[in-house]
Amino acid sequence: MFVFSVKPLFSFLIATLSFLLLLAFLSPPSSPFSLNHISGEQSSLGKVDIWSVRRLMEWRPCKWWLQEHHTALPLETNGYIRVDCYGGLNQMRRDFCDGVGIARLLNATLVLPKFEVASYWNESSGFADVYDVDYFIQHMNGFVKVVKQLPLAIASKEPVPVDCSKRKGQFDYVESVLPSLLEHKYISITPAMSQRRDRYPLYAKAALCQACYKALRLTRSLEMKASKLLDAIPKPFLSLHLRFEPDMVAYSQCEYPGLSPASVKAIKAAQGQQLTERKPWTGELARIWRRRGKCPLTPNETTLILQALSISPSTNIYLAAGDGLMEIEGLTDTYTNIFTKSSLLSGEDFTSMHGNTKAALDYYVSINSDSYIATYFGNMDKMVSAMRAFKGLHKTLFLSRRGFAELTSQGLKGKELMQALWKLHRDDFVMGRGSALSECFCEFKL
């Protein structure tokens, strides 16, 4: 009779398994950026540019919003809310979108918003001068009630202002604003940034998302002008939002040695116009401030990062920027195919426009560009990146001011700096980091 012992076989299996575990432990950790994931990548100055890198994560509109299965609007309204918006166009757009969510949260009827009239922004255009009112009302149907005109009983009255801007901590609109709405029936608010949107019920979030990404369309005349501008830009093209205007630099409190006399004069003039005294930090404080990523990138610094990302000097670049960009030669000396709205639009078309309508053109071109790069992290950048994600355009990248400052503070230069900048921004692009997207979008693994 043949007897088979399992002990030698068991010992062999244990030894083999131990060897394999040891081999796995000693092997270098797998990286999502290995050649299995990114074919052909060599270096910051290699064969591929940043857009050729394979992504592992993207932001897409959340299904709960797009499916449109939302709580029905109540038959009775608690009153009327007007959202008062201040600042530049994209800040006002952000505040208005928040206000739409608040109106739905409080079961209020939304009155068309009031846009700030400000000489500082060269601005006198209102909501209806920028956005298609009828289109907005039509596309908000079922999400929130919107009216062009107030009932006669309250049409002659000004809304009672409810101050939200100075609220601290976890400010709650239901607790703090609803009582005033119920009492006065017509109030105005400027949304508070401290409010946590994750506390909104889904129907209020959906109203916010619908307003910001589906219902806000430019007026017919402004969209025609924006489309004409878009058509005039050679394709393909990169839209670059560069922030190095005198007021931006003056407000940043950053030191910039080596600027031209004209730039220094412009910055000092902007500092004198500001209501608060914001002198630049100096010495070690200035270095700490810069390493925290607080300082706008200069055109020279922007050019260096673009080169590190292997963006070709022959790239067509649309400059989405305000008036008065300083040190622009730092960019145009390397990237010569530069286009601006002032150079592409006729003089009469351009000079008759105000701040909001000019910003609307930059927004429209940027959300329809082949690729978009922002050197800052402002309201326009957040709005543009979100709308591009909504449209399925994922060639979007924020340049890292903090990363650039940290690398240069370590003394990195030349090829070593270029390689480090490549890896830093490649990792952000691959993982979909850097986009300031609201709760309207969800991460999607590729």
Side-chain angles (χ1 to χ4, degrees):
M1 181 177 178
F2 181 75
V3 178
F4 177 75
S5 174
V6 299
K7 288 184 68 178
L9 179 61
F10 182 74
S11 299
F12 173 76
L13 291 174
I14 292 295
T16 302
L17 181 60
S18 300
F19 174 76
L20 291 174
L21 288 173
L22 179 63
L23 189 64
F25 179 77
L26 294 175
S27 299
S30 176
S31 167
F33 314 117
S34 65
L35 292 178
N36 291 330
H37 295 271
I38 304 174
S39 59
E41 182 184 349
Q42 292 185 358
S43 69
S44 64
L45 301 177
K47 293 182 178 179
V48 301
D49 62 24
I50 191 67
W51 311 124
S52 302
V53 175
R54 178 187 168 187
R55 306 191 69 176
L56 300 181
M57 195 80 68
E58 286 178 355
W59 289 88
R60 297 182 182 179
C62 298
K63 290 183 179 179
W64 59 261
W65 162 37
L66 295 179
Q67 287 172 347
E68 298 185 4
H69 300 304
H70 308 303
T71 306
L73 290 170
L75 295 177
E76 297 294 327
T77 181
N78 287 329
Y80 296 83
I81 287 181
R82 187 184 76 190
V83 184
D84 291 351
C85 305
Y86 301 91
L89 177 64
N90 292 289
Q91 179 180 333
M92 292 196 288
R93 180 189 177 108
R94 179 203 69 193
D95 286 348
F96 178 58
C97 293
D98 281 348
V100 173
I102 294 163
R104 180 65 182 93
L105 178 70
L106 303 182
N107 183 29
T109 299
L110 189 70
V111 181
L112 294 181
K114 179 183 177 183
F115 274 18
E116 176 188 28
V117 176
S119 58
Y120 178 81
W121 296 97
N122 184 26
E123 190 48 61
S124 61
S125 52
F127 180 80
D129 297 310
V130 179
Y131 297 112
D132 187 328
V133 172
D134 292 330
Y135 185 89
F136 176 78
I137 293 175
Q138 176 188 349
H139 283 77
M140 291 311 298
N141 184 38
F143 288 88
V144 69
K145 295 177 183 176
V146 187
V147 293
K148 286 184 181 180
Q149 296 179 332
L150 290 163
L152 291 176
I154 59 173
S156 61
K157 301 178 182 179
E158 279 295 308
V160 175
V162 178
D163 185 16
C164 305
S165 60
K166 296 180 181 178
R167 307 281 183 166
K168 303 297 181 183
Q170 301 305 328
F171 176 57
D172 190 290
Y173 285 100
V174 174
E175 295 176 3
S176 303
V177 177
L178 183 57
S180 296
L181 177 66
L182 293 172
E183 178 184 357
H184 301 290
K185 293 301 180 181
Y186 181 30
I187 65 172
S188 65
I189 63 169
T190 298
M193 291 302 293
S194 57
Q195 168 70 359
R196 287 182 56 179
R197 294 190 196 128
D198 59 0
R199 293 184 172 185
Y200 285 10
L202 284 184
Y203 59 80
K205 286 186 183 180
L208 183 157
C209 299
Q210 180 75 4
C212 227
Y213 304 111
K214 277 193 173 182
L216 283 178
R217 185 178 74 176
L218 299 181
T219 63
R220 291 287 185 185
S221 59
L222 191 52
E223 190 171 79
M224 285 179 62
K225 188 174 291 188
S227 180
K228 177 182 175 182
L229 176 60
L230 180 64
D231 290 342
I233 305 170
K235 312 296 186 298
F237 75 97
L238 159 71
S239 180
L240 176 65
H241 191 207
L242 188 59
R243 298 305 311 270
F244 205 68
E245 304 96 343
D247 60 315
M248 171 62 69
V249 176
Y251 191 80
S252 72
Q253 296 180 276
C254 296
E255 278 189 322
Y256 289 96
L259 295 182
S260 69
S263 296
V264 173
K265 182 179 179 181
I267 294 168
K268 287 183 177 179
Q271 288 171 339
Q273 293 173 358
Q274 292 178 0
L275 297 178
T276 56
E277 189 73 14
R278 294 180 66 92
K279 293 182 179 179
W281 297 110
T282 58
E284 183 59 25
L285 283 176
R287 288 186 284 273
I288 294 172
W289 193 243
R290 183 173 294 277
R291 285 199 297 270
R292 289 179 60 192
K294 299 295 185 179
C295 296
L297 292 169
T298 69
N300 263 321
E301 293 167 342
T302 300
T303 298
L304 182 65
I305 300 176
L306 293 182
Q307 290 176 310
L309 302 181
S310 293
I311 303 296
S312 170
S314 63
T315 301
N316 297 315
I317 296 179
Y318 174 79
L319 267 187
D323 301 328
L325 276 177
M326 302 182 298
E327 308 291 314
I328 192 62
E329 297 79 11
L331 175 72
T332 57
D333 285 349
T334 300
Y335 292 91
T336 55
N337 295 335
I338 300 290
F339 303 89
T340 64
K341 49 188 175 291
S342 60
S343 66
L344 294 173
L345 292 176
S346 67
E348 183 179 348
D349 276 346
F350 185 73
T351 55
S352 63
M353 300 179 73
H354 292 281
N356 281 348
T357 48
K358 288 181 181 178
L361 295 185
D362 284 340
Y363 174 82
Y364 183 90
V365 169
S366 295
I367 66 171
N368 289 290
S369 60
D370 298 283
S371 51
Y372 178 76
I373 287 180
T375 65
Y376 207 68
F377 204 51
N379 292 308
M380 175 175 168
D381 308 313
K382 297 168 188 176
M383 288 291 179
V384 167
S385 67
M387 183 56 81
R388 287 178 61 81
F390 177 74
K391 293 165 66 74
L393 301 173
H394 297 288
K395 289 184 178 181
T396 304
L397 187 65
F398 289 92
L399 301 189
S400 176
R401 291 170 291 153
R402 183 170 185 169
F404 180 84
E406 288 178 348
L407 292 172
T408 52
S409 70
Q410 295 168 15
L412 297 186
K413 295 179 181 179
K415 186 175 181 180
E416 190 179 14
L417 175 60
M418 301 289 270
Q419 291 281 5
L421 287 170
W422 165 263
K423 292 176 182 177
L424 170 70
H425 290 90
R426 175 204 62 185
D427 291 0
D428 283 348
F429 183 69
V430 166
M431 298 307 297
R433 290 193 293 262
S435 296
L437 299 173
S438 72
E439 289 78 5
C440 307
F441 295 84
C442 298
E443 285 186 318
F444 182 85
K445 292 183 179 180
L446 301 178

